[in-house]
Amino acid sequence: MEAITSPAPPPIPVIDLSPLAAPQPDAAAVRQLASALHAACRDVGFLYIAGHGLSQGQLDGLTALATRLFDLPQVDKEALDAARSPLARGYNSLQHGRHSCTPEDGGPRDAKESFTVGMERQAGDPRPPSPMHGPNQWPPEAVLPGWRVEAEAAVEQLLAAARLLMRGLALALQAPPDYFTSRCTDPVAQMVLFRYPPTGGTEEQRGCGAHTDCGFLTLVAQDAPGIEVQLSDGSWHAAPALPGCLLVNLGDMAARWAGDTYKSTVHRVHNRSDAATRHSLVFFCNTDFDAVVETMPSCLPPGVGAAAAEGGGGGSEAAAAVAGGTGSEAAAAGTDGGGSVAAAAGGGVIGRRHPPIKAGDYILQKLGLMFN
Ligand SMILES: O=C(O)CCC(=O)C(=O)O
Ligand SMILES: [Fe+2]
């Protein structure tokens, strides 16, 4: 079996987002946060976030949602079979065994049950429906009292945490802090609950095969170890829960936005326990369906970035700062009405310019792997 190492200090950094939430942001603290975030996204693609707004009780409540749901009798779960939903919302049993972003690879099935909740629209919402908004399959109140209300609250809490992170990410990319949140007002997002049975460490019985996530940002709450992250030297590292933290990884869309200067890192799940079941609640957060994903100016060489900046974002000065690695003082002018919290993260890596694409189309294309 491949060795799994978890050296101390862990290679996955912990980043405290609380400076972003402060009523009067401390510019130096925000700058430091943006810089740490930039390094984490560039070097690892995984990070733990603290100061995200959820209490430990709320974090525990996330995985408890999974426990309660999967503890239902099989017949009640099958009644919510995702095969009945045009948006593949609802329950997938152990027999389903595949990941939505990973094409069939002929390998073993994933040993997991899952339950997917997506974004609904309230009646009377004036916005045009996106192809990825629609009804969920909810467990009936009589079967699981209070579950829907708690699940909807969890989506709200995780969306708020993701939006806070997006503000940091915008600053890390030398754009105005609302660059991503202004494109995340009615997002395409999914909350997926998982139960992974113990597999006793057998390599063939994976919980989830190695993959990258196809979307923007993924937030993970977990009640037992199991997720493993492949670092750039090829080694695998366990990423267990840390008290008070959510685990976060960037998906392919984030890497694309950063012109591949940020990592969408390969990961997998193995519940190597002999006895304990693992639960996770994973929030796959994207932007609005119609938001255009285009390489951020700060990730492009000077001049190229200026053209790309026309649609919003930093500008050629910021691009020059990162592309030239000239240091942290040449900052993007980021203001959000609450004061200037400009941050420049430095870098020196020049990215690749991808053609602009609508976020929703991008995700549908990626998910198309599953159906083609
Ligand atoms: O359950 C987890 O901890 C992560 C699952 C995962 O990586 C995924 O479904 O994309
Ligand atoms: Fe994943």
Side-chain angles (χ1 to χ4, degrees):
M1 190 196 302
E2 290 167 82
I4 304 301
T5 46
S6 299
I12 301 173
V14 179
I15 296 183
D16 179 2
L17 299 182
S18 51
L20 290 169
Q24 302 285 327
D26 171 343
V30 170
R31 210 164 24 242
Q32 201 176 22
L33 183 162
S35 179
L37 198 49
H38 179 71
C41 295
R42 181 194 58 200
D43 300 338
V44 191
F46 264 80
L47 57 140
Y48 291 97
I49 54 169
H52 42 59
L54 281 79
S55 66
Q56 186 61 51
Q58 286 172 323
L59 292 175
D60 295 341
L62 299 177
T63 49
L65 276 170
T67 313
R68 286 177 63 205
L69 191 281
F70 295 118
D71 276 351
L72 285 175
Q74 194 62 25
V75 62
D76 288 330
K77 294 189 280 190
E78 301 284 358
L80 303 167
D81 190 341
R84 298 213 181 102
S85 156
L87 293 168
R89 310 251 179 102
Y91 176 70
N92 281 311
S93 73
L94 280 170
Q95 272 63 52
H96 181 76
R98 61 197 171 140
H99 188 274
S100 51
C101 286
T102 313
E104 288 297 319
D105 58 5
R109 286 174 194 278
D110 289 351
K112 67 186 181 196
E113 294 175 84
S114 68
F115 189 85
T116 301
V117 174
M119 302 308 266
E120 295 198 348
R121 284 268 167 76
Q122 301 307 316
D125 191 310
R127 292 170 293 197
S130 89
M132 297 185 76
H133 283 76
N136 287 305
Q137 299 199 80
W138 295 108
E141 195 57 24
V143 170
L144 215 47
W147 195 88
R148 175 176 178 168
V149 169
E150 278 178 48
E152 288 178 329
V155 168
E156 288 308 314
Q157 290 158 12
L158 289 164
L159 187 54
R163 286 172 59 84
L164 197 59
L165 176 60
M166 283 177 205
R167 292 167 58 80
L169 200 60
L171 294 170
L173 287 163
Q174 305 187 15
D178 67 350
Y179 181 89
F180 293 115
T181 52
S182 64
R183 291 160 171 80
C184 180
T185 58
D186 183 25
V188 171
Q190 283 196 325
M191 182 172 86
V192 188
L193 303 96
F194 293 103
R195 167 174 277 179
Y196 299 93
T199 59
T202 48
E203 205 60 43
E204 315 72 56
Q205 261 292 57
R206 66 193 191 188
C208 178
H211 67 282
T212 60
D213 292 351
C214 56
F216 184 30
L217 297 173
T218 305
L219 279 56
V220 180
Q222 49 183 328
D223 68 359
I227 187 164
E228 297 169 359
V229 176
Q230 189 169 37
L231 300 185
S232 43
D233 64 0
S235 62
W236 288 94
H237 288 266
L242 293 185
C245 294
L246 284 160
L247 180 66
V248 171
N249 63 285
L250 306 188
D252 300 346
M253 192 200 287
R256 183 181 173 112
W257 227 315
D260 300 327
T261 63
Y262 284 1
K263 284 196 164 65
S264 173
T265 298
V266 173
H267 54 286
R268 66 187 182 193
V269 179
H270 277 197
N271 179 2
R272 296 175 186 276
S273 166
D274 287 326
T277 298
R278 173 179 189 265
H279 298 96
S280 62
L281 182 145
V282 182
F283 186 61
F284 297 98
C285 190
N286 298 300
T287 55
D288 297 341
F289 189 92
D290 288 331
V292 175
V293 180
E294 56 189 337
T295 312
M296 303 290 284
S298 68
C299 303
L300 293 169
V304 179
E310 275 164 24
S316 56
E317 249 177 78
V322 166
T326 50
S328 61
E329 293 316 311
T335 55
D336 62 351
S340 170
V341 284
V349 182
I350 297 174
R352 187 181 328 166
R353 186 174 193 171
H354 294 286
I357 186 169
K358 249 197 232 177
D361 291 341
Y362 182 75
I363 305 252
L364 285 176
Q365 244 176 47
K366 289 270 184 173
L367 294 180
L369 290 171
M370 185 169 75
F371 305 113
N372 290 342

